[in-house]
Amino acid sequence: QSVLTQPPSVSAAPGQKVTISCSGSSSNIGKNYVSWYQQLPGRAPKPLIYDNNKRPSGIPDRFSGSKSGTSATLGITGLQTGDEADYYCGTWHSSLRAVVFGGGTKLTVL
Amino acid sequence: QVQLQQSGPGLVKPSQTLSLTCVISGDSVSSNSAAWNWIRQSPSRGLEWLGRTYYRSKWSNDYGVSVKSRITINPDTSKNQFSLQLNSVTPEDTAVYYCARSLENPGVLLDIWGQGTMVTVSS
């Protein structure tokens, strides 16, 4: 029962586009910036998006982020088999004074 | 290049204290722009932020609600590291534990992660 809500899984074919949603509340996403993380099996999470839509150095522009109200979305275009991973959204929760995460979305590239 | 190296036991008995250390290279635990976090991950609880320590003219901590009564995160400036202590552990505390640096750009970004330590709570 994570504070932020993500779909458990999404899938798409290589070369296609996929979006992953992250739903929160006025106390977290509604007031703060969202970040996204990619976790490959057996590895630590890796930052993909910060401040809703910025990419860290080295992250390709196939990855994009957006936020509207109390929800955020991660988009991935030109899907590759190497994109198969778990994806997590995260943000600051103002009233809890804590970082909160979504439950994660498993991306399958068919 | 900032790196975080974790160490600590992989097996802890129920009711005892879980202790982990995270050594920082390439940055300072006393940085005025970073915070130093502990996060854990288990199949049942997903990614769970445990807390952080940071220096902004004085040391401060924030802790996650679920562990607030049992957790301590301390900086060690002499060794440029920070530690996690979680008291009175139960099997529910079995998880992979990560240390991580966070920056505020202005949003919180956990940009550097340690390698992870699998901790099992069992007698």
Side-chain angles (χ1 to χ4, degrees), chain A residues 16-80:
Chain A
Q16 296 300 303
K17 173 182 177 177
V18 71
T19 60
I20 298 173
S21 61
C22 174
S23 178
S25 72
S26 57
S27 296
N28 44 64
I29 293 179
K31 282 185 179 176
N32 297 290
Y33 293 87
V34 176
S35 54
W36 288 90
Y37 304 87
Q38 177 193 61
Q39 187 176 32
L40 297 170
R43 306 293 297 274
K46 165 187 168 183
L48 281 182
I49 297 288
Y50 68 99
D51 290 355
N52 302 332
N53 55 18
K54 298 177 185 173
R55 289 185 308 276
S57 173
I59 301 300
D61 59 7
R62 300 189 299 109
F63 296 91
S64 64
S66 64
K67 174 187 143 177
S68 178
T70 59
S71 293
T73 302
L74 173 69
I76 311 173
T77 59
L79 278 171
Q80 303 173 0

Side-chain angles (χ1 to χ4, degrees), chain B residues 1-4 23-28 36 101 111-113:
Chain B
Q1 177 186 357
V2 180
Q3 292 185 317
L4 302 176
V23 177
I24 304 163
S25 57
D27 199 349
S28 170
W36 305 97
R101 182 181 78 167
D111 70 326
I112 305 293
W113 295 65

Side-chain angles (χ1 to χ4, degrees), chain A residues 1-2 33-37 39 42-47 49-51 54 56 88 90-92 96-103, chain B residues 37 39 41 44-49 52 54 61-65 68 98 104-116:
Chain A
Q1 55 278 26
S2 301
Y33 293 87
V34 176
S35 54
W36 288 90
Y37 304 87
Q39 187 176 32
R43 306 293 297 274
K46 165 187 168 183
I49 297 288
Y50 68 99
D51 290 355
K54 298 177 185 173
Y88 295 88
T91 190
W92 183 252
L96 296 178
R97 284 198 60 79
V99 175
V100 292
F101 293 104
Chain B
N37 302 257
I39 298 132
Q41 185 174 31
S44 60
R45 302 170 77 100
L47 274 177
E48 182 182 12
W49 181 82
R52 66 179 185 175
Y54 57 97
N61 294 95
D62 293 304
Y63 294 133
V65 170
K68 198 166 231 174
Y98 294 100
E104 292 182 26
N105 299 291
V108 174
L109 171 67
L110 295 149
D111 70 326
I112 305 293
W113 295 65
Q115 79 274 23

